[in-house]
Amino acid sequence: MGVRLLLRDGTLTALLSGEIDHHCARGIREEVDRAAEQTKPRRLVLDFSQVQFMDSSGVGLIMGRYKLMQSIGGIVILANLPPKIEKIITLAGIERLARIERNWDHESNQ
């Protein structure tokens, strides 16, 4: 699992890849939090286009970033969710906390 962070025009985009499970969620969380706390973005986009698998650790990752963004006055956008991951998000009720964008392009939407 990897994460690449891009900051542009008040939007911090986390390009996630691989699998999100208990082995890697902590590292992702720390990287995203460090960048968000330093830059105070208006929007945090979690781009799942390159994620093949996510377990409950991913749900916790999203919920924690939602709380962080609330504390700094921003929002969370979940972008490009593969169907299986979108189903997990929906079952967990996360769509009430974060906006879902199905065709997010980090280069043109910031």
Side-chain angles (χ1 to χ4, degrees):
M1 178 68 211
V3 61
R4 196 175 97 198
L5 300 171
L6 306 170
L7 179 65
R8 184 172 162 201
D9 299 330
T11 298
L12 178 62
T13 301
L15 300 167
L16 307 169
S17 63
E19 299 184 353
I20 301 176
D21 58 21
H22 70 278
H23 294 293
C24 64
R26 181 179 180 183
I28 296 168
R29 185 171 58 241
E30 289 172 353
E31 279 192 63
V32 171
D33 287 359
R34 184 173 30 255
E37 288 167 353
Q38 288 175 352
T39 62
K40 307 274 191 265
R42 292 186 315 271
R43 298 181 291 187
L44 171 63
V45 177
L46 301 176
D47 186 330
F48 285 83
S49 58
Q50 299 299 311
V51 175
Q52 289 83 38
F53 171 83
M54 183 180 89
D55 65 12
S56 61
S57 300
V59 172
L61 174 78
I62 295 166
M63 292 178 71
R65 289 347 72 196
Y66 167 76
K67 290 177 185 176
L68 172 64
M69 290 303 292
Q70 268 197 317
S71 74
I72 62 175
I75 63 167
V76 174
I77 298 170
L78 305 178
N80 305 319
L81 296 165
K84 288 181 181 179
I85 294 176
E86 187 167 354
K87 185 174 182 177
I88 293 168
I89 297 299
T90 301
L91 289 172
I94 300 292
E95 78 280 357
R96 293 185 306 249
L97 306 178
R99 191 169 90 206
I100 295 176
E101 292 285 342
R102 288 180 176 79
N103 295 306
W104 182 270
D105 177 2
H106 67 272
E107 293 189 17
S108 64
N109 284 311
Q110 293 193 23

